[in-house]
């Protein structure tokens, strides 16, 4: 069911410093920051040949990243995102398998403009998993 | 400099349960467990179309994963691995950029039989980064 790894998201305490580090020290292709006010984050995409790294920084109040950075002031890997063809079919299969979907269980439009869901990390080996319909 | 994302490693408290979950609930291609006594881990590779997920479970005493699972009993994302063409050139460039290489700074042969290095997570936004020469 799951397809490609769409991205790995890393929450960072200093978006400019992290972007510069990936650009110059790691020599990666780093895009310009994008504010995503609907999601409470500013995002920088790093393009690797086979997938993306998504640097996340809090935007506005009640950012979903703020609490994570309080617990992890240096930053840390926040979630992984797997692609699916049909997010409703995926959700129903995962729920039938005993996995909890966060929120009200309905897909939302994610930072890439596509429907996404998150699975409860306690059901997934402590890993926050995003599913994105592509 | 960095190339493909070779894998995302997830430490898990129950390797059989995690493998079964990825196989049946997530419908992924899950390989058989491999003991890596030199690295103190048993590994299960999950093949996605563009990269791999590496499930890690402690093997033997002094496993590098044991402390992580003590702090994170449910499991969690342990590291990401980026591919490089020349690990010595990469190391020298990263050290010149102010990043610390773990251990004695010399590459070791990793779980895939290739030279690897790890960068200090405090220098990398709280993220343990493995570099693998491919």
């Amino acid at each position: 069911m799951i397809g490609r790894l769409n991205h790995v998201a890393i929450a960072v305490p200093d978006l400019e410093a992290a972007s510069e580090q990936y650009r110059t020290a790691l020599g990666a292709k780093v895009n310009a920051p994008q504010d995503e006010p609907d999601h409470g984050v500013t995002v920088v995409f790093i393009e690797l040949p086979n997938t993306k790294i998504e640097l996340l920084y809090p935007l506005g109040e009640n950012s979903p990243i703020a609490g994570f950075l309080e617990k992890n002031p240096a930053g840390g890997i926040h979630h992984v995102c797997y692609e699916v063809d049909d997010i409703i079919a995926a959700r129903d299969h995962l729920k039938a398998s005993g996995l909890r979907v966060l929120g009200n269980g309905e897909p939302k439009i994610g930072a890439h403009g596509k429907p996404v869901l998150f699975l409860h990390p306690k059901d997934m080996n402590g890993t926050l998993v995003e599913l994105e319909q592509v």
Side-chain angles (χ1 to χ4, degrees), chain A residues 1 17 31 52-53 68 91 101 110 127:
Chain A
M1 184 180 71
N31 290 305
K52 289 176 296 214
I53 304 295
F68 182 88
R91 175 196 66 186
V101 174
T127 303

Side-chain angles (χ1 to χ4, degrees), chain A residues 13-65:
Chain A
D14 182 333
L15 192 56
E16 198 175 316
S19 299
E20 188 58 20
Q21 184 182 56
Y22 267 87
R23 185 181 291 117
T24 59
L26 276 71
K29 182 176 176 193
V30 177
N31 290 305
Q34 298 174 26
D35 287 345
E36 302 279 356
D38 289 352
H39 300 93
V41 289
T42 300
V43 176
V44 165
F45 284 110
I46 298 166
E47 293 178 43
L48 303 183
N50 60 333
T51 188
K52 289 176 296 214
I53 304 295
E54 181 179 289
L55 302 180
L56 297 177
Y57 185 78
L59 177 66
E61 292 176 21
N62 305 317
S63 168
I65 307 301

Side-chain angles (χ1 to χ4, degrees), chain A residues 54-103:
Chain A
E54 181 179 289
L55 302 180
L56 297 177
Y57 185 78
L59 177 66
E61 292 176 21
N62 305 317
S63 168
I65 307 301
F68 182 88
L69 283 173
E70 265 171 42
K71 282 185 214 154
N72 306 276
I77 302 176
H78 186 262
H79 67 265
V80 291
C81 176
Y82 301 131
E83 297 180 355
V84 295
D85 287 331
D86 180 337
I87 201 159
I88 299 298
R91 175 196 66 186
D92 292 347
H93 175 69
L94 291 164
K95 283 174 74 174
S97 304
L99 300 182
R100 284 170 289 177
V101 174
L102 295 184

